[in-house]
Amino acid sequence: MNFFAFKSAAERYAVGRLFFHTIVIARVREFLSLTELLARALDVGCGTGLSSVALKEIASRIVGIDAAPSMIAHAPTDARINYSVAVAERLPFCEQAFDLITLSQVSHWLDRKVFFAEARRVLRPGRWLIAYDAYFSAQTIEHTDFQMWHEAIYLKNYPSPPRSPVALAAEDVAGTGFQLCEEERLQHTISFTVEQLVEYLLTQSNVIAAVEGGTKEIGEVRDWLTKNVTPFFAGHDAAGFLFNVPIWYLQSTV
């Protein structure tokens, strides 16, 4: 099941997802010591285009691909970005077509062995594949008991669907033609109102699996989330939630 292929899920994604990607791209620029724009970058699993837009900071031309046409339908039009419907395991590009490949919050959904072979084929020798994520820790300074509610109540009602581990380790890339050269872990705080937090949670695969999978109605989930999270905001218009942002730097060795 492609949790992000549904039109209804894509619509929520376009509203509730966060544009955190520029903080990652700033770190990528520093790590790679870039002093000028790369010629061409590929953003795999681009979703609604936020991760592709962020690449404008370091690349002249960007190609964003996603397996879900409904996601790409919400991507912003940009003269420097081309979007295409394609799966990561069958990249529709010629050999050595790109100077950089990025994966934003998508590596745990892929057949990694097959994808790495394709990435190696379309990436120029010695160039970089950057995988990164930003996952919700449920930690907040204002309401320390929110994390307990998230673990005991939210995840019990909306468990995470099966997927590969988010993290990448050296053994995951062994024999793929890539070397894991560095792993960096950032932390980033996002301020949410009640409404913004609910909209974000409605984009998570936990909720998509329940709603688009047919066991829950979106209105029911929205009302339940609003009722449950509102008490944590008592006396506050907004609260800051911590996101963990790991970045994996992989270099092509062939």
Side-chain angles (χ1 to χ4, degrees):
M1 177 180 179
N2 183 344
F3 295 101
F4 308 100
F6 297 90
K7 182 175 182 290
S8 51
E11 289 170 349
R12 297 200 304 277
Y13 212 88
V15 171
R17 274 287 155 161
L18 309 171
F19 187 47
F20 71 92
H21 309 76
T22 51
I23 67 169
V24 173
I25 297 307
R27 295 296 300 146
V28 170
R29 180 199 287 115
E30 183 175 345
F31 181 84
L32 300 183
S33 301
L34 298 178
T35 57
E36 58 185 23
L37 295 178
L38 299 169
R40 201 162 182 244
L42 173 63
D43 184 31
V44 174
C46 66
T48 57
L50 297 178
S51 50
S52 299
V53 170
L55 278 171
K56 291 173 62 178
E57 297 295 322
I58 60 172
S60 295
R61 302 290 301 179
I62 300 105
V63 178
I65 68 162
D66 200 278
S70 55
M71 284 286 183
I72 289 181
H74 290 279
T77 301
D78 192 292
R80 290 169 55 191
I81 306 174
N82 293 324
Y83 296 102
S84 179
V85 177
V87 297
E89 295 84 355
R90 295 192 303 275
L91 298 175
F93 308 108
C94 63
E95 295 183 2
Q96 301 183 18
F98 296 99
D99 300 288
L100 177 73
I101 298 176
T102 54
L103 298 168
S104 174
Q105 299 183 286
V106 71
S107 66
H108 48 291
W109 299 114
L110 305 182
D111 182 328
R112 289 176 175 173
K113 182 178 180 181
V114 177
F115 166 69
F116 281 134
E118 278 291 88
R120 184 184 63 210
R121 180 181 64 81
V122 303
L123 191 64
R124 294 191 176 105
R127 300 304 176 97
W128 293 86
L129 167 63
I130 310 295
Y132 63 98
D133 212 299
Y135 52 89
F136 185 62
S137 73
Q139 297 178 33
T140 176
I141 296 173
E142 293 88 345
H143 311 288
T144 55
D145 51 350
F146 181 89
Q147 189 174 31
M148 292 186 292
W149 169 85
H150 183 267
E151 293 178 358
I153 306 299
Y154 172 72
L155 291 178
K156 181 179 179 180
N157 282 272
Y158 300 96
S160 298
R163 59 188 182 184
S164 299
V166 171
L168 281 172
E171 54 266 28
D172 295 322
V173 300
T176 66
F178 286 96
Q179 179 182 358
L180 178 59
C181 296
E182 185 70 36
E183 178 182 347
E184 183 175 14
R185 293 188 174 270
L186 311 178
Q187 290 188 321
H188 184 55
T189 300
I190 299 288
S191 180
F192 286 112
T193 63
V194 169
E195 293 77 11
Q196 289 169 336
L197 177 59
V198 170
E199 292 299 331
Y200 170 73
L201 292 174
L202 290 175
T203 70
Q204 292 190 322
S205 58
N206 311 48
V207 172
I208 294 173
V211 173
E212 278 70 26
T215 63
K216 299 283 186 178
E217 296 289 336
I218 186 62
E220 171 191 359
V221 180
R222 189 187 301 275
D223 290 345
W224 183 86
L225 284 171
T226 302
K227 178 181 177 180
N228 274 266
V229 306
T230 296
F232 296 104
F233 286 75
H236 300 275
D237 293 330
F241 289 83
L242 183 68
F243 282 74
N244 294 308
V245 185
I247 311 172
W248 295 275
Y249 299 88
L250 289 76
Q251 187 175 27
S252 171
T253 59
V254 293

